[in-house]
Amino acid sequence: QEAVELEFATIPLYMTSLYSIVDGCNSEIYDLIRSVLIQEMLHMVQAANILIATGGTPIVDNASFVPSFPGRLPGCVHPNLIVYLDKLNLSQVFDVFTTIEAPNITCVGQQFPVLSNHTIAQFYFEIRDCIQTLGDTIFQPESEELQVSWPWPLQENNPVGEVHIVTDVSTATDGINEIIEQGEGTDLLNPGDLDGGQIAHYYRFQEIVCGKKLINISDNEYAYSGANITYDPVGVWPMRQNPGAEGIMPGTNCYTQAAAFHGVFRALLRELQTTFSGNPSNIFKTVELMEALQVHAKRVMRVKYDPDDNDNEDTCGPVWDYDFEVQEVVEETRDNT
């Protein structure tokens, strides 16, 4: 369950920065972040399949499942790291994104231990070790038909990965290993597949920070000295940091667009819950809602937070609060009283 929560917690972080990019701008960075975002969705489904295979049901449509921002990651991953929602900027990518995906040792330049302890890989190592210790008897034979397959077709030249149907220790280990490899790299000296463009998440984010593609310069030696990756801050909407429901004035365009985004977000949680509760074919409804969420995220990025404040250009931004709808009801009740 914590693995499902951990993978989901990265989605608002990456998606918020992704859709703060103005259409047609920062296209290389857009593609890099989007490629990571899609794989985080895959990882969430993989973690859910492992839980389902052992007889559990992922809890998704619940206030305790949705992360708060600013806040810490689930699973005690990087316990000293405070993650927050922000528009695309190099500080956000370096301070938050690369730390989330950081390996214990980087294969670029001098090898050194990451300052933040308990990486995502270490979190999954513990799960993998536990599964291998408990053995095949923890897996439920009837669970296979309840598990979710990846709904998007795999792309031959730019594979996103594979969701494994879990039936035993071996298939669970395969799924966990894929999560680790896509996040940190295939091993301590290999960032991933440079030719196919699918290097590990950590190195993709570092490419954005360094402004250069990662290339292999000799055996087991890599450097950010390839083609330029340009970051243009002008091509980013000036979204307020950690957009939430608090402070949004009813009747404003910000309120209308934020509520529209949030309505789709809550519908997505409900459909994910249905999908993980024994209805795997329902995943296609969640895909439709993810596409709708993208549309509403882009809309709410463009709307001014306070239309009456000419000195503040902050835009509204998407609201990921679970209880936004409840807050609306409370506010209306207070007004009527």
Side-chain angles (χ1 to χ4, degrees), residues 39 42 150 152 154 158-164 178 182 198:
Q39 288 185 327
L42 182 150
W150 189 237
W152 286 297
L154 297 180
N158 190 24
V160 297
E162 178 184 358
V163 172
H164 299 264
E178 182 148 348
Q182 289 183 342
Q198 287 296 301

Side-chain angles (χ1 to χ4, degrees), residues 14 18-19 27-43 101 150 152 155 158-161 182 196-205 207-208 213:
Y14 299 159
L18 176 67
Y19 294 132
S27 57
E28 287 182 278
I29 294 176
Y30 182 96
D31 290 342
L32 283 170
I33 297 177
R34 185 178 181 275
S35 69
V36 173
L37 175 64
I38 291 175
Q39 288 185 327
E40 296 298 351
M41 296 175 187
L42 182 150
H43 296 172
E101 306 288 354
W150 189 237
W152 286 297
Q155 304 171 32
N158 190 24
V160 297
Q182 289 183 342
Q198 287 296 301
I199 58 175
H201 298 176
Y202 171 79
Y203 299 101
R204 285 182 237 178
F205 288 140
E207 286 185 328
I208 297 172
K213 297 291 289 184

Side-chain angles (χ1 to χ4, degrees), residues 43-193:
H43 296 172
M44 181 181 68
V45 172
Q46 185 63 75
N49 276 357
I50 295 173
L51 179 54
I52 293 168
T54 58
T57 300
I59 304 301
V60 175
D61 189 17
N62 188 284
S64 64
F65 177 80
V66 177
S68 297
F69 301 103
R72 289 182 168 84
L73 293 171
C76 204
V77 169
H78 299 302
N80 297 323
L81 175 67
I82 301 298
V83 298
Y84 55 91
L85 301 171
D86 205 354
K87 61 183 177 291
L88 174 67
N89 61 83
L90 297 184
S91 293
Q92 171 76 336
V93 177
F94 181 73
D95 294 339
V96 178
F97 295 178
T98 62
T99 303
I100 289 173
E101 306 288 354
N104 288 318
I105 299 177
T106 175
C107 70
V108 181
Q110 182 181 3
Q111 296 178 14
F112 60 93
V114 173
L115 294 179
S116 299
N117 56 6
H118 201 212
T119 66
I120 289 178
Q122 290 171 325
F123 171 81
Y124 277 107
F125 289 155
E126 293 173 6
I127 295 176
R128 189 179 65 187
D129 290 347
C130 183
I131 288 173
Q132 291 174 346
T133 299
L134 293 172
D136 289 338
T137 57
I138 65 172
F139 297 98
Q140 308 298 312
E142 68 277 5
S143 69
E144 187 172 348
E145 63 185 21
L146 305 177
Q147 294 178 49
V148 180
S149 298
W150 189 237
W152 286 297
L154 297 180
Q155 304 171 32
E156 183 177 351
N157 296 327
N158 190 24
V160 297
E162 178 184 358
V163 172
H164 299 264
I165 300 301
V166 178
T167 58
D168 52 21
V169 170
S170 177
T171 48
T173 299
D174 289 342
I176 290 173
N177 287 345
E178 182 148 348
I179 293 173
I180 295 170
E181 291 168 6
Q182 289 183 342
E184 295 193 5
T186 54
D187 57 52
L188 296 180
L189 296 176
N190 190 340
D193 181 9

Side-chain angles (χ1 to χ4, degrees), residues 194-229:
L194 289 172
D195 294 332
Q198 287 296 301
I199 58 175
H201 298 176
Y202 171 79
Y203 299 101
R204 285 182 237 178
F205 288 140
Q206 285 285 26
E207 286 185 328
I208 297 172
V209 174
C210 296
K212 295 280 188 179
K213 297 291 289 184
L214 180 65
I215 60 172
N216 184 200
I217 56 178
S218 64
D219 290 344
N220 292 327
E221 189 174 356
Y222 303 84
Y224 297 102
S225 56
N228 290 333
I229 297 177

